[in-house]
Amino acid sequence: TEGWARGNKVVLLDLMGEEEEALALAHRNYELIERIGDIFSRTWAIYTLGVARVSHGEFAEGLKALETAEQLYREAMGRGGEAQGWRASYRAEALIGLERFPEALAAAEEAVEASRGRGLHWSEARALRMLALARAANGDPRVDEAFDEAIEVCRELGLTRELEAIETARAEVAAGAR
């Protein structure tokens, strides 16, 4: 229970922009869960470590953690689960950071498909943001379409932090910064 709570706190810290604190807590949680956790707790701890590393700009390390978490979950459950879209969106972000743009696009498309397919709109907005960024990186002209859909989801659900991230990402794409 403590591991899951720490993992959730890592995600919250990440969403609040507290990358250093999120990364430190994610490392500590991973160390504890590796010793005592079951497969689901281990998957969550590894996943949140990946989230913290990606947000901290450690794209290769973050991608490795995210892929490990995905593999462990699929081996245990035989499918991606309710966080599949969320995990895939962070994989897409890591792949963009590593300039592996075609793979990033595939991960972002998976993130959107998984989020929508399971009706998990809380992860859909972020997935659509990553889709827009991956499209921009790949020269796909449908960037604004993904941003517009993401904004619509945010407004429907009241996701103000994600809406801010989308608006920032859109401005960076328009300025050629991404």
PDB file of all heavy atoms in Angstrom, residues 104-144:
ATOM      1  N   ALA A 104       8.125   7.047 -31.887  1.00  0.00           N
ATOM      2  CA  ALA A 104       7.335   7.934 -31.031  1.00  0.00           C
ATOM      3  C   ALA A 104       5.916   8.052 -31.560  1.00  0.00           C
ATOM      4  O   ALA A 104       4.945   8.020 -30.787  1.00  0.00           O
ATOM      5  CB  ALA A 104       7.985   9.307 -30.942  1.00  0.00           C
ATOM      6  N   LEU A 105       5.783   8.175 -32.866  1.00  0.00           N
ATOM      7  CA  LEU A 105       4.456   8.267 -33.472  1.00  0.00           C
ATOM      8  C   LEU A 105       3.662   6.999 -33.217  1.00  0.00           C
ATOM      9  O   LEU A 105       2.485   7.054 -32.843  1.00  0.00           O
ATOM     10  CB  LEU A 105       4.572   8.553 -34.970  1.00  0.00           C
ATOM     11  CG  LEU A 105       3.258   8.753 -35.722  1.00  0.00           C
ATOM     12  CD1 LEU A 105       2.440   9.897 -35.129  1.00  0.00           C
ATOM     13  CD2 LEU A 105       3.542   9.008 -37.196  1.00  0.00           C
ATOM     14  N   ALA A 106       4.287   5.849 -33.366  1.00  0.00           N
ATOM     15  CA  ALA A 106       3.599   4.580 -33.114  1.00  0.00           C
ATOM     16  C   ALA A 106       3.170   4.480 -31.650  1.00  0.00           C
ATOM     17  O   ALA A 106       2.049   4.039 -31.351  1.00  0.00           O
ATOM     18  CB  ALA A 106       4.490   3.405 -33.498  1.00  0.00           C
ATOM     19  N   ALA A 107       4.038   4.892 -30.726  1.00  0.00           N
ATOM     20  CA  ALA A 107       3.698   4.838 -29.300  1.00  0.00           C
ATOM     21  C   ALA A 107       2.561   5.802 -28.980  1.00  0.00           C
ATOM     22  O   ALA A 107       1.654   5.477 -28.195  1.00  0.00           O
ATOM     23  CB  ALA A 107       4.921   5.154 -28.450  1.00  0.00           C
ATOM     24  N   ALA A 108       2.587   6.989 -29.580  1.00  0.00           N
ATOM     25  CA  ALA A 108       1.524   7.969 -29.341  1.00  0.00           C
ATOM     26  C   ALA A 108       0.188   7.476 -29.893  1.00  0.00           C
ATOM     27  O   ALA A 108      -0.856   7.640 -29.250  1.00  0.00           O
ATOM     28  CB  ALA A 108       1.902   9.311 -29.958  1.00  0.00           C
ATOM     29  N   GLU A 109       0.228   6.869 -31.062  1.00  0.00           N
ATOM     30  CA  GLU A 109      -1.010   6.302 -31.629  1.00  0.00           C
ATOM     31  C   GLU A 109      -1.545   5.191 -30.728  1.00  0.00           C
ATOM     32  O   GLU A 109      -2.762   5.094 -30.509  1.00  0.00           O
ATOM     33  CB  GLU A 109      -0.759   5.797 -33.046  1.00  0.00           C
ATOM     34  CG  GLU A 109      -0.559   6.932 -34.035  1.00  0.00           C
ATOM     35  CD  GLU A 109      -0.062   6.481 -35.406  1.00  0.00           C
ATOM     36  OE1 GLU A 109       0.432   5.339 -35.527  1.00  0.00           O
ATOM     37  OE2 GLU A 109      -0.155   7.301 -36.351  1.00  0.00           O
ATOM     38  N   GLU A 110      -0.648   4.353 -30.202  1.00  0.00           N
ATOM     39  CA  GLU A 110      -1.065   3.307 -29.257  1.00  0.00           C
ATOM     40  C   GLU A 110      -1.688   3.933 -28.016  1.00  0.00           C
ATOM     41  O   GLU A 110      -2.706   3.446 -27.506  1.00  0.00           O
ATOM     42  CB  GLU A 110       0.134   2.450 -28.848  1.00  0.00           C
ATOM     43  CG  GLU A 110      -0.199   1.435 -27.772  1.00  0.00           C
ATOM     44  CD  GLU A 110       1.013   0.792 -27.131  1.00  0.00           C
ATOM     45  OE1 GLU A 110       2.122   0.814 -27.716  1.00  0.00           O
ATOM     46  OE2 GLU A 110       0.856   0.262 -26.012  1.00  0.00           O
ATOM     47  N   ALA A 111      -1.080   5.014 -27.522  1.00  0.00           N
ATOM     48  CA  ALA A 111      -1.585   5.682 -26.324  1.00  0.00           C
ATOM     49  C   ALA A 111      -3.012   6.184 -26.535  1.00  0.00           C
ATOM     50  O   ALA A 111      -3.881   5.986 -25.681  1.00  0.00           O
ATOM     51  CB  ALA A 111      -0.661   6.839 -25.935  1.00  0.00           C
ATOM     52  N   VAL A 112      -3.252   6.815 -27.667  1.00  0.00           N
ATOM     53  CA  VAL A 112      -4.592   7.331 -27.959  1.00  0.00           C
ATOM     54  C   VAL A 112      -5.574   6.174 -28.115  1.00  0.00           C
ATOM     55  O   VAL A 112      -6.674   6.192 -27.531  1.00  0.00           O
ATOM     56  CB  VAL A 112      -4.580   8.227 -29.219  1.00  0.00           C
ATOM     57  CG1 VAL A 112      -6.003   8.587 -29.651  1.00  0.00           C
ATOM     58  CG2 VAL A 112      -3.745   9.475 -28.980  1.00  0.00           C
ATOM     59  N   GLU A 113      -5.190   5.178 -28.876  1.00  0.00           N
ATOM     60  CA  GLU A 113      -6.075   4.029 -29.116  1.00  0.00           C
ATOM     61  C   GLU A 113      -6.414   3.308 -27.812  1.00  0.00           C
ATOM     62  O   GLU A 113      -7.577   2.979 -27.558  1.00  0.00           O
ATOM     63  CB  GLU A 113      -5.406   3.056 -30.085  1.00  0.00           C
ATOM     64  CG  GLU A 113      -6.286   1.878 -30.451  1.00  0.00           C
ATOM     65  CD  GLU A 113      -5.596   0.958 -31.446  1.00  0.00           C
ATOM     66  OE1 GLU A 113      -4.954   1.460 -32.387  1.00  0.00           O
ATOM     67  OE2 GLU A 113      -5.719  -0.270 -31.271  1.00  0.00           O
ATOM     68  N   ALA A 114      -5.407   3.077 -26.962  1.00  0.00           N
ATOM     69  CA  ALA A 114      -5.646   2.379 -25.689  1.00  0.00           C
ATOM     70  C   ALA A 114      -6.529   3.209 -24.770  1.00  0.00           C
ATOM     71  O   ALA A 114      -7.451   2.678 -24.133  1.00  0.00           O
ATOM     72  CB  ALA A 114      -4.318   2.049 -25.015  1.00  0.00           C
ATOM     73  N   SER A 115      -6.275   4.507 -24.695  1.00  0.00           N
ATOM     74  CA  SER A 115      -7.075   5.376 -23.829  1.00  0.00           C
ATOM     75  C   SER A 115      -8.525   5.422 -24.283  1.00  0.00           C
ATOM     76  O   SER A 115      -9.450   5.285 -23.473  1.00  0.00           O
ATOM     77  CB  SER A 115      -6.484   6.794 -23.811  1.00  0.00           C
ATOM     78  OG  SER A 115      -5.188   6.779 -23.261  1.00  0.00           O
ATOM     79  N   ARG A 116      -8.724   5.601 -25.568  1.00  0.00           N
ATOM     80  CA  ARG A 116     -10.090   5.656 -26.094  1.00  0.00           C
ATOM     81  C   ARG A 116     -10.778   4.300 -26.025  1.00  0.00           C
ATOM     82  O   ARG A 116     -11.957   4.215 -25.689  1.00  0.00           O
ATOM     83  CB  ARG A 116     -10.064   6.141 -27.547  1.00  0.00           C
ATOM     84  CG  ARG A 116      -9.780   7.605 -27.661  1.00  0.00           C
ATOM     85  CD  ARG A 116      -9.790   8.060 -29.090  1.00  0.00           C
ATOM     86  NE  ARG A 116      -9.662   9.503 -29.157  1.00  0.00           N
ATOM     87  CZ  ARG A 116      -9.336  10.166 -30.236  1.00  0.00           C
ATOM     88  NH1 ARG A 116      -9.102   9.520 -31.372  1.00  0.00           N
ATOM     89  NH2 ARG A 116      -9.237  11.474 -30.213  1.00  0.00           N
ATOM     90  N   GLY A 117     -10.035   3.261 -26.356  1.00  0.00           N
ATOM     91  CA  GLY A 117     -10.619   1.916 -26.375  1.00  0.00           C
ATOM     92  C   GLY A 117     -11.122   1.470 -25.023  1.00  0.00           C
ATOM     93  O   GLY A 117     -12.079   0.703 -24.934  1.00  0.00           O
ATOM     94  N   ARG A 118     -10.487   1.938 -23.967  1.00  0.00           N
ATOM     95  CA  ARG A 118     -10.897   1.568 -22.612  1.00  0.00           C
ATOM     96  C   ARG A 118     -11.759   2.651 -21.969  1.00  0.00           C
ATOM     97  O   ARG A 118     -12.156   2.520 -20.812  1.00  0.00           O
ATOM     98  CB  ARG A 118      -9.677   1.277 -21.764  1.00  0.00           C
ATOM     99  CG  ARG A 118      -8.896   0.056 -22.277  1.00  0.00           C
ATOM    100  CD  ARG A 118      -7.730  -0.281 -21.400  1.00  0.00           C
ATOM    101  NE  ARG A 118      -8.133  -0.653 -20.059  1.00  0.00           N
ATOM    102  CZ  ARG A 118      -8.377  -1.902 -19.659  1.00  0.00           C
ATOM    103  NH1 ARG A 118      -8.264  -2.884 -20.514  1.00  0.00           N
ATOM    104  NH2 ARG A 118      -8.726  -2.152 -18.421  1.00  0.00           N
ATOM    105  N   GLY A 119     -12.016   3.752 -22.691  1.00  0.00           N
ATOM    106  CA  GLY A 119     -12.827   4.834 -22.146  1.00  0.00           C
ATOM    107  C   GLY A 119     -12.139   5.589 -21.027  1.00  0.00           C
ATOM    108  O   GLY A 119     -12.789   6.160 -20.162  1.00  0.00           O
ATOM    109  N   LEU A 120     -10.807   5.608 -21.055  1.00  0.00           N
ATOM    110  CA  LEU A 120     -10.030   6.262 -20.001  1.00  0.00           C
ATOM    111  C   LEU A 120      -9.609   7.655 -20.467  1.00  0.00           C
ATOM    112  O   LEU A 120      -8.475   7.892 -20.878  1.00  0.00           O
ATOM    113  CB  LEU A 120      -8.819   5.409 -19.631  1.00  0.00           C
ATOM    114  CG  LEU A 120      -9.184   4.024 -19.091  1.00  0.00           C
ATOM    115  CD1 LEU A 120      -7.954   3.159 -18.952  1.00  0.00           C
ATOM    116  CD2 LEU A 120      -9.919   4.144 -17.770  1.00  0.00           C
ATOM    117  N   HIS A 121     -10.534   8.572 -20.386  1.00  0.00           N
ATOM    118  CA  HIS A 121     -10.306   9.908 -20.920  1.00  0.00           C
ATOM    119  C   HIS A 121      -9.263  10.683 -20.127  1.00  0.00           C
ATOM    120  O   HIS A 121      -8.651  11.601 -20.658  1.00  0.00           O
ATOM    121  CB  HIS A 121     -11.626  10.670 -21.007  1.00  0.00           C
ATOM    122  CG  HIS A 121     -12.624   9.968 -21.860  1.00  0.00           C
ATOM    123  ND1 HIS A 121     -12.438   9.771 -23.209  1.00  0.00           N
ATOM    124  CD2 HIS A 121     -13.780   9.355 -21.549  1.00  0.00           C
ATOM    125  CE1 HIS A 121     -13.452   9.081 -23.705  1.00  0.00           C
ATOM    126  NE2 HIS A 121     -14.281   8.820 -22.715  1.00  0.00           N
ATOM    127  N   TRP A 122      -9.035  10.307 -18.858  1.00  0.00           N
ATOM    128  CA  TRP A 122      -8.009  10.978 -18.061  1.00  0.00           C
ATOM    129  C   TRP A 122      -6.628  10.817 -18.689  1.00  0.00           C
ATOM    130  O   TRP A 122      -5.779  11.668 -18.520  1.00  0.00           O
ATOM    131  CB  TRP A 122      -8.015  10.485 -16.612  1.00  0.00           C
ATOM    132  CG  TRP A 122      -7.830   8.998 -16.461  1.00  0.00           C
ATOM    133  CD1 TRP A 122      -8.812   8.050 -16.392  1.00  0.00           C
ATOM    134  CD2 TRP A 122      -6.600   8.280 -16.385  1.00  0.00           C
ATOM    135  NE1 TRP A 122      -8.262   6.790 -16.274  1.00  0.00           N
ATOM    136  CE2 TRP A 122      -6.908   6.896 -16.261  1.00  0.00           C
ATOM    137  CE3 TRP A 122      -5.253   8.664 -16.402  1.00  0.00           C
ATOM    138  CZ2 TRP A 122      -5.930   5.914 -16.164  1.00  0.00           C
ATOM    139  CZ3 TRP A 122      -4.279   7.675 -16.301  1.00  0.00           C
ATOM    140  CH2 TRP A 122      -4.622   6.321 -16.180  1.00  0.00           C
ATOM    141  N   SER A 123      -6.404   9.741 -19.425  1.00  0.00           N
ATOM    142  CA  SER A 123      -5.110   9.565 -20.095  1.00  0.00           C
ATOM    143  C   SER A 123      -5.169   9.972 -21.574  1.00  0.00           C
ATOM    144  O   SER A 123      -4.127  10.131 -22.205  1.00  0.00           O
ATOM    145  CB  SER A 123      -4.628   8.118 -19.968  1.00  0.00           C
ATOM    146  OG  SER A 123      -5.503   7.213 -20.604  1.00  0.00           O
ATOM    147  N   GLU A 124      -6.358  10.178 -22.086  1.00  0.00           N
ATOM    148  CA  GLU A 124      -6.515  10.507 -23.503  1.00  0.00           C
ATOM    149  C   GLU A 124      -5.933  11.874 -23.861  1.00  0.00           C
ATOM    150  O   GLU A 124      -5.290  12.027 -24.910  1.00  0.00           O
ATOM    151  CB  GLU A 124      -7.992  10.458 -23.893  1.00  0.00           C
ATOM    152  CG  GLU A 124      -8.245  10.708 -25.355  1.00  0.00           C
ATOM    153  CD  GLU A 124      -9.715  10.665 -25.722  1.00  0.00           C
ATOM    154  OE1 GLU A 124     -10.571  10.439 -24.836  1.00  0.00           O
ATOM    155  OE2 GLU A 124     -10.009  10.871 -26.912  1.00  0.00           O
ATOM    156  N   ALA A 125      -6.118  12.850 -23.007  1.00  0.00           N
ATOM    157  CA  ALA A 125      -5.632  14.201 -23.322  1.00  0.00           C
ATOM    158  C   ALA A 125      -4.113  14.215 -23.457  1.00  0.00           C
ATOM    159  O   ALA A 125      -3.565  14.782 -24.399  1.00  0.00           O
ATOM    160  CB  ALA A 125      -6.091  15.192 -22.259  1.00  0.00           C
ATOM    161  N   ARG A 126      -3.428  13.578 -22.518  1.00  0.00           N
ATOM    162  CA  ARG A 126      -1.965  13.508 -22.590  1.00  0.00           C
ATOM    163  C   ARG A 126      -1.526  12.711 -23.816  1.00  0.00           C
ATOM    164  O   ARG A 126      -0.574  13.078 -24.503  1.00  0.00           O
ATOM    165  CB  ARG A 126      -1.391  12.875 -21.324  1.00  0.00           C
ATOM    166  CG  ARG A 126       0.119  12.876 -21.346  1.00  0.00           C
ATOM    167  CD  ARG A 126       0.728  12.279 -20.074  1.00  0.00           C
ATOM    168  NE  ARG A 126       2.034  12.817 -19.834  1.00  0.00           N
ATOM    169  CZ  ARG A 126       3.105  12.563 -20.582  1.00  0.00           C
ATOM    170  NH1 ARG A 126       3.023  11.766 -21.615  1.00  0.00           N
ATOM    171  NH2 ARG A 126       4.274  13.103 -20.310  1.00  0.00           N
ATOM    172  N   ALA A 127      -2.234  11.642 -24.095  1.00  0.00           N
ATOM    173  CA  ALA A 127      -1.917  10.822 -25.270  1.00  0.00           C
ATOM    174  C   ALA A 127      -2.052  11.651 -26.544  1.00  0.00           C
ATOM    175  O   ALA A 127      -1.197  11.568 -27.436  1.00  0.00           O
ATOM    176  CB  ALA A 127      -2.829   9.598 -25.313  1.00  0.00           C
ATOM    177  N   LEU A 128      -3.094  12.463 -26.625  1.00  0.00           N
ATOM    178  CA  LEU A 128      -3.289  13.315 -27.794  1.00  0.00           C
ATOM    179  C   LEU A 128      -2.209  14.389 -27.897  1.00  0.00           C
ATOM    180  O   LEU A 128      -1.770  14.737 -28.996  1.00  0.00           O
ATOM    181  CB  LEU A 128      -4.681  13.950 -27.760  1.00  0.00           C
ATOM    182  CG  LEU A 128      -5.826  13.005 -28.121  1.00  0.00           C
ATOM    183  CD1 LEU A 128      -7.160  13.571 -27.653  1.00  0.00           C
ATOM    184  CD2 LEU A 128      -5.836  12.723 -29.619  1.00  0.00           C
ATOM    185  N   ARG A 129      -1.763  14.898 -26.753  1.00  0.00           N
ATOM    186  CA  ARG A 129      -0.651  15.875 -26.774  1.00  0.00           C
ATOM    187  C   ARG A 129       0.602  15.225 -27.338  1.00  0.00           C
ATOM    188  O   ARG A 129       1.303  15.800 -28.175  1.00  0.00           O
ATOM    189  CB  ARG A 129      -0.394  16.430 -25.370  1.00  0.00           C
ATOM    190  CG  ARG A 129       0.828  17.347 -25.314  1.00  0.00           C
ATOM    191  CD  ARG A 129       0.913  18.159 -24.030  1.00  0.00           C
ATOM    192  NE  ARG A 129       0.823  17.407 -22.823  1.00  0.00           N
ATOM    193  CZ  ARG A 129       1.863  17.037 -22.073  1.00  0.00           C
ATOM    194  NH1 ARG A 129       3.109  17.323 -22.444  1.00  0.00           N
ATOM    195  NH2 ARG A 129       1.664  16.387 -20.932  1.00  0.00           N
ATOM    196  N   MET A 130       0.885  14.010 -26.895  1.00  0.00           N
ATOM    197  CA  MET A 130       2.062  13.305 -27.416  1.00  0.00           C
ATOM    198  C   MET A 130       1.896  12.975 -28.897  1.00  0.00           C
ATOM    199  O   MET A 130       2.855  13.017 -29.661  1.00  0.00           O
ATOM    200  CB  MET A 130       2.336  12.033 -26.611  1.00  0.00           C
ATOM    201  CG  MET A 130       2.837  12.286 -25.213  1.00  0.00           C
ATOM    202  SD  MET A 130       4.326  13.287 -25.189  1.00  0.00           S
ATOM    203  CE  MET A 130       3.753  14.683 -24.223  1.00  0.00           C
ATOM    204  N   LEU A 131       0.653  12.672 -29.303  1.00  0.00           N
ATOM    205  CA  LEU A 131       0.391  12.414 -30.712  1.00  0.00           C
ATOM    206  C   LEU A 131       0.693  13.669 -31.539  1.00  0.00           C
ATOM    207  O   LEU A 131       1.327  13.592 -32.599  1.00  0.00           O
ATOM    208  CB  LEU A 131      -1.052  11.955 -30.929  1.00  0.00           C
ATOM    209  CG  LEU A 131      -1.453  11.670 -32.372  1.00  0.00           C
ATOM    210  CD1 LEU A 131      -0.604  10.553 -32.982  1.00  0.00           C
ATOM    211  CD2 LEU A 131      -2.944  11.312 -32.438  1.00  0.00           C
ATOM    212  N   ALA A 132       0.257  14.815 -31.055  1.00  0.00           N
ATOM    213  CA  ALA A 132       0.530  16.067 -31.773  1.00  0.00           C
ATOM    214  C   ALA A 132       2.035  16.311 -31.877  1.00  0.00           C
ATOM    215  O   ALA A 132       2.542  16.661 -32.955  1.00  0.00           O
ATOM    216  CB  ALA A 132      -0.151  17.235 -31.059  1.00  0.00           C
ATOM    217  N   LEU A 133       2.760  16.105 -30.780  1.00  0.00           N
ATOM    218  CA  LEU A 133       4.209  16.320 -30.801  1.00  0.00           C
ATOM    219  C   LEU A 133       4.915  15.324 -31.710  1.00  0.00           C
ATOM    220  O   LEU A 133       5.851  15.683 -32.434  1.00  0.00           O
ATOM    221  CB  LEU A 133       4.769  16.245 -29.380  1.00  0.00           C
ATOM    222  CG  LEU A 133       4.321  17.368 -28.442  1.00  0.00           C
ATOM    223  CD1 LEU A 133       4.820  17.110 -27.023  1.00  0.00           C
ATOM    224  CD2 LEU A 133       4.792  18.723 -28.963  1.00  0.00           C
ATOM    225  N   ALA A 134       4.464  14.073 -31.684  1.00  0.00           N
ATOM    226  CA  ALA A 134       5.067  13.053 -32.558  1.00  0.00           C
ATOM    227  C   ALA A 134       4.761  13.364 -34.023  1.00  0.00           C
ATOM    228  O   ALA A 134       5.624  13.188 -34.889  1.00  0.00           O
ATOM    229  CB  ALA A 134       4.566  11.664 -32.173  1.00  0.00           C
ATOM    230  N   ARG A 135       3.549  13.821 -34.280  1.00  0.00           N
ATOM    231  CA  ARG A 135       3.211  14.207 -35.655  1.00  0.00           C
ATOM    232  C   ARG A 135       4.092  15.364 -36.108  1.00  0.00           C
ATOM    233  O   ARG A 135       4.588  15.373 -37.243  1.00  0.00           O
ATOM    234  CB  ARG A 135       1.732  14.588 -35.762  1.00  0.00           C
ATOM    235  CG  ARG A 135       0.797  13.402 -35.770  1.00  0.00           C
ATOM    236  CD  ARG A 135      -0.648  13.839 -35.833  1.00  0.00           C
ATOM    237  NE  ARG A 135      -1.548  12.697 -35.965  1.00  0.00           N
ATOM    238  CZ  ARG A 135      -2.861  12.788 -35.916  1.00  0.00           C
ATOM    239  NH1 ARG A 135      -3.451  13.972 -35.756  1.00  0.00           N
ATOM    240  NH2 ARG A 135      -3.606  11.701 -36.039  1.00  0.00           N
ATOM    241  N   ALA A 136       4.270  16.347 -35.244  1.00  0.00           N
ATOM    242  CA  ALA A 136       5.116  17.494 -35.598  1.00  0.00           C
ATOM    243  C   ALA A 136       6.542  17.026 -35.898  1.00  0.00           C
ATOM    244  O   ALA A 136       7.143  17.462 -36.881  1.00  0.00           O
ATOM    245  CB  ALA A 136       5.114  18.520 -34.469  1.00  0.00           C
ATOM    246  N   ALA A 137       7.056  16.142 -35.075  1.00  0.00           N
ATOM    247  CA  ALA A 137       8.423  15.645 -35.263  1.00  0.00           C
ATOM    248  C   ALA A 137       8.569  14.846 -36.547  1.00  0.00           C
ATOM    249  O   ALA A 137       9.653  14.793 -37.129  1.00  0.00           O
ATOM    250  CB  ALA A 137       8.831  14.781 -34.063  1.00  0.00           C
ATOM    251  N   ASN A 138       7.480  14.238 -36.989  1.00  0.00           N
ATOM    252  CA  ASN A 138       7.494  13.430 -38.207  1.00  0.00           C
ATOM    253  C   ASN A 138       7.032  14.204 -39.436  1.00  0.00           C
ATOM    254  O   ASN A 138       6.918  13.636 -40.524  1.00  0.00           O
ATOM    255  CB  ASN A 138       6.608  12.190 -38.019  1.00  0.00           C
ATOM    256  CG  ASN A 138       7.302  11.112 -37.225  1.00  0.00           C
ATOM    257  OD1 ASN A 138       8.160  10.409 -37.744  1.00  0.00           O
ATOM    258  ND2 ASN A 138       6.951  10.991 -35.948  1.00  0.00           N
ATOM    259  N   GLY A 139       6.740  15.490 -39.284  1.00  0.00           N
ATOM    260  CA  GLY A 139       6.303  16.296 -40.419  1.00  0.00           C
ATOM    261  C   GLY A 139       4.886  16.010 -40.875  1.00  0.00           C
ATOM    262  O   GLY A 139       4.515  16.339 -42.002  1.00  0.00           O
ATOM    263  N   ASP A 140       4.086  15.428 -40.019  1.00  0.00           N
ATOM    264  CA  ASP A 140       2.682  15.113 -40.326  1.00  0.00           C
ATOM    265  C   ASP A 140       1.850  16.392 -40.202  1.00  0.00           C
ATOM    266  O   ASP A 140       1.930  17.085 -39.189  1.00  0.00           O
ATOM    267  CB  ASP A 140       2.189  14.045 -39.347  1.00  0.00           C
ATOM    268  CG  ASP A 140       0.798  13.524 -39.653  1.00  0.00           C
ATOM    269  OD1 ASP A 140      -0.093  14.328 -39.998  1.00  0.00           O
ATOM    270  OD2 ASP A 140       0.601  12.307 -39.521  1.00  0.00           O
ATOM    271  N   PRO A 141       1.062  16.733 -41.191  1.00  0.00           N
ATOM    272  CA  PRO A 141       0.310  17.989 -41.147  1.00  0.00           C
ATOM    273  C   PRO A 141      -0.880  17.983 -40.178  1.00  0.00           C
ATOM    274  O   PRO A 141      -1.512  19.018 -39.985  1.00  0.00           O
ATOM    275  CB  PRO A 141      -0.169  18.161 -42.595  1.00  0.00           C
ATOM    276  CG  PRO A 141      -0.242  16.779 -43.131  1.00  0.00           C
ATOM    277  CD  PRO A 141       0.881  16.022 -42.466  1.00  0.00           C
ATOM    278  N   ARG A 142      -1.189  16.864 -39.550  1.00  0.00           N
ATOM    279  CA  ARG A 142      -2.375  16.783 -38.686  1.00  0.00           C
ATOM    280  C   ARG A 142      -2.071  17.121 -37.214  1.00  0.00           C
ATOM    281  O   ARG A 142      -2.764  16.668 -36.312  1.00  0.00           O
ATOM    282  CB  ARG A 142      -2.983  15.385 -38.779  1.00  0.00           C
ATOM    283  CG  ARG A 142      -3.462  15.038 -40.190  1.00  0.00           C
ATOM    284  CD  ARG A 142      -3.877  13.605 -40.320  1.00  0.00           C
ATOM    285  NE  ARG A 142      -2.699  12.756 -40.078  1.00  0.00           N
ATOM    286  CZ  ARG A 142      -2.758  11.515 -39.601  1.00  0.00           C
ATOM    287  NH1 ARG A 142      -3.906  10.962 -39.321  1.00  0.00           N
ATOM    288  NH2 ARG A 142      -1.649  10.822 -39.419  1.00  0.00           N
ATOM    289  N   VAL A 143      -1.077  17.952 -36.987  1.00  0.00           N
ATOM    290  CA  VAL A 143      -0.678  18.338 -35.638  1.00  0.00           C
ATOM    291  C   VAL A 143      -1.816  19.057 -34.917  1.00  0.00           C
ATOM    292  O   VAL A 143      -2.184  18.707 -33.790  1.00  0.00           O
ATOM    293  CB  VAL A 143       0.589  19.223 -35.679  1.00  0.00           C
ATOM    294  CG1 VAL A 143       0.920  19.774 -34.307  1.00  0.00           C
ATOM    295  CG2 VAL A 143       1.748  18.439 -36.263  1.00  0.00           C
ATOM    296  N   ASP A 144      -2.383  20.087 -35.554  1.00  0.00           N
ATOM    297  CA  ASP A 144      -3.434  20.883 -34.909  1.00  0.00           C
ATOM    298  C   ASP A 144      -4.667  20.047 -34.598  1.00  0.00           C
ATOM    299  O   ASP A 144      -5.335  20.299 -33.589  1.00  0.00           O
ATOM    300  CB  ASP A 144      -3.808  22.088 -35.774  1.00  0.00           C
ATOM    301  CG  ASP A 144      -2.757  23.184 -35.691  1.00  0.00           C
ATOM    302  OD1 ASP A 144      -2.094  23.291 -34.637  1.00  0.00           O
ATOM    303  OD2 ASP A 144      -2.593  23.918 -36.679  1.00  0.00           O
TER     304      ASP A 144
END
